Amino acid sequence: MKLILLGAPGAGKGTQAKRISQHYDIPHISTGDIFRANIKAGTELGKKAQEYMERGALVPDALTVDMLLDRISQDDCTSGYILDGFPRTIPQAERLTEALAAMGEDIDAALDIEVPDEVIVERMAGRRVCPDCGSSYHVVNIPPKKEGICDVCGAQLITRRDDAPETVLSRLATYHDQTEPLIEYYQGRDKLITVDGTTGLDPVFEEIIEKLG
Ligand code: AP5
Ligand code: MG
């Protein structure tokens, strides 16, 4: 099972990818998480990526595509994977299609989680994440059992730096400009599945599983 998750920043890609990954027993690969791990570790890649991420821009394809293709060539990806946040530009999608075609493979589906911009802004303002295990919460919609503490691993929750309101607006603009055209790209390749991302955690997951069949 090779899946792609499309959707605006804050649409719930990370939240649903975790569940899909457990359901199908495939790795969850988030380019955003890989960049954040590199920033935390102070690597050269992290330093370069941080500059773009903090202003809500995309990290250049030259830094992103080879990193992702290398990741999906690893042993744990032989029975599939779920890509969260990649591809994000038409050139990234074309490189992925070509790389898979060279091995006689293709993705099974691209899931687009649809959420209007107004809802996104409210979600990002309330998001809190775990810096250790990556779990994501929302102060109102999905609060942790104990305020400010991760249910899964007990770490202190933080606010992502790129969730500052002005950065969220740039990320949304970047999404509409550079990533939204992928919906048409995957529709043209007969891979697109659209899901309503506003219905709540469980209903969104159920709709995804039902539509994947
Ligand atoms: P990335 O980390 O991928 O961020 P993003 O796409 O902006 O998306 P988010 O992680 O913010 O949101 P999400 O859709 O995962 O939502 P979540 O589940 O957390 O990328 C960060 C940056 O890295 C980019 O800006 C770019 O610079 C760079 N980058 C990454 N990949 C790249 C690439 N391929 N090319 C170039 N640059 C790249 O949910 C959001 C909130 O809503 C949470 O609080 C959650 O609890 C809540 N929530 C989720 N679902 C629901 C629901 N159904 N109902 C109510 N609340 C919900
Ligand atoms: Mg995410």
Side-chain angles (χ1 to χ4, degrees), residues 9-10 13-15 31 36 57 59 85 88 92 127 137 160 171:
K13 299 184 296 295
T15 305
T31 39
R36 279 185 289 277
V59 179
R88 248 180 160 96
Q92 288 183 13
R127 174 163 60 180
Y137 302 87
R160 252 170 61 174
R171 287 162 66 199

Side-chain angles (χ1 to χ4, degrees), residues 7-16 30-33 35-36 49 52-54 56-61 64 84-89 92 113 119 123-124 126-129 136-139 141-142 160 162-163 171 174 196-202 204:
K13 299 184 296 295
T15 305
Q16 296 300 331
S30 155
T31 39
D33 287 349
F35 289 135
R36 279 185 289 277
Y52 297 93
M53 290 167 77
E54 282 187 353
L58 293 182
V59 179
D61 291 348
T64 308
D84 159 11
F86 185 97
R88 248 180 160 96
T89 63
Q92 288 183 13
I113 306 181
V119 180
R123 277 191 191 178
M124 308 294 238
R127 174 163 60 180
R128 299 293 178 273
V129 295
S136 182
Y137 302 87
H138 186 281
V139 287
N141 303 339
I142 311 154
R160 252 170 61 174
D162 61 349
D163 279 349
R171 287 162 66 199
T174 303
D196 178 358
T198 62
T199 54
L201 293 192
D202 293 337
V204 172

Side-chain angles (χ1 to χ4, degrees), residues 10 62 64 84 89 94 111-112 135 146 163-165 168 172:
T64 308
D84 159 11
T89 63
E94 287 171 342
L111 291 159
D112 179 36
S135 298
K146 193 168 168 219
D163 279 349
V168 169
L172 272 172

Side-chain angles (χ1 to χ4, degrees), residues 16 19 195 200-212:
Q16 296 300 331
R19 296 175 162 214
V195 178
L201 293 192
D202 293 337
V204 172
F205 180 64
E206 281 152 23
E207 190 181 343
I208 290 173
I209 298 304
E210 188 195 310
K211 289 190 168 167
L212 283 172

Side-chain angles (χ1 to χ4, degrees), residues 36-203:
R36 279 185 289 277
N38 275 276
I39 293 172
K40 208 174 162 188
T43 67
E44 274 312 305
L45 174 65
K47 283 179 196 146
K48 286 181 190 154
Q50 184 167 25
E51 189 192 314
Y52 297 93
M53 290 167 77
E54 282 187 353
R55 53 186 167 86
L58 293 182
V59 179
D61 291 348
L63 295 176
T64 308
V65 177
D66 291 335
M67 173 185 90
L68 185 280
L69 294 181
D70 177 62
R71 177 67 189 87
I72 62 174
S73 70
Q74 290 169 20
D75 286 350
D76 62 334
C77 291
T78 42
S79 61
Y81 39 78
I82 173 137
L83 302 185
D84 159 11
F86 185 97
R88 248 180 160 96
T89 63
I90 293 284
Q92 288 183 13
E94 287 171 342
R95 286 280 308 277
L96 178 66
T97 303
E98 284 161 21
L100 291 176
M103 299 181 287
E105 295 174 7
D106 201 353
I107 62 149
D108 294 288
L111 291 159
D112 179 36
I113 306 181
E114 286 188 324
V115 177
D117 286 7
E118 318 81 81
V119 180
I120 299 277
V121 171
E122 188 274 322
R123 277 191 191 178
M124 308 294 238
R127 174 163 60 180
R128 299 293 178 273
V129 295
C130 176
D132 289 349
C133 76
S135 298
S136 182
Y137 302 87
H138 186 281
V139 287
V140 180
N141 303 339
I142 311 154
K145 292 194 185 84
K146 193 168 168 219
E147 199 185 319
I149 303 293
C150 179
D151 292 349
V152 181
C153 71
Q156 186 91 37
L157 301 177
I158 58 164
T159 302
R160 252 170 61 174
R161 285 177 76 153
D162 61 349
D163 279 349
E166 60 285 5
T167 315
V168 169
L169 294 181
S170 337
R171 287 162 66 199
L172 272 172
T174 303
Y175 166 77
H176 289 301
D177 185 37
Q178 299 191 57
T179 307
E180 211 169 25
L182 291 177
I183 295 174
E184 209 169 299
Y185 175 83
Y186 284 109
Q187 195 160 33
R189 302 192 65 238
D190 213 14
K191 298 290 182 191
L192 187 73
I193 294 177
T194 303
V195 178
D196 178 358
T198 62
T199 54
L201 293 192
D202 293 337

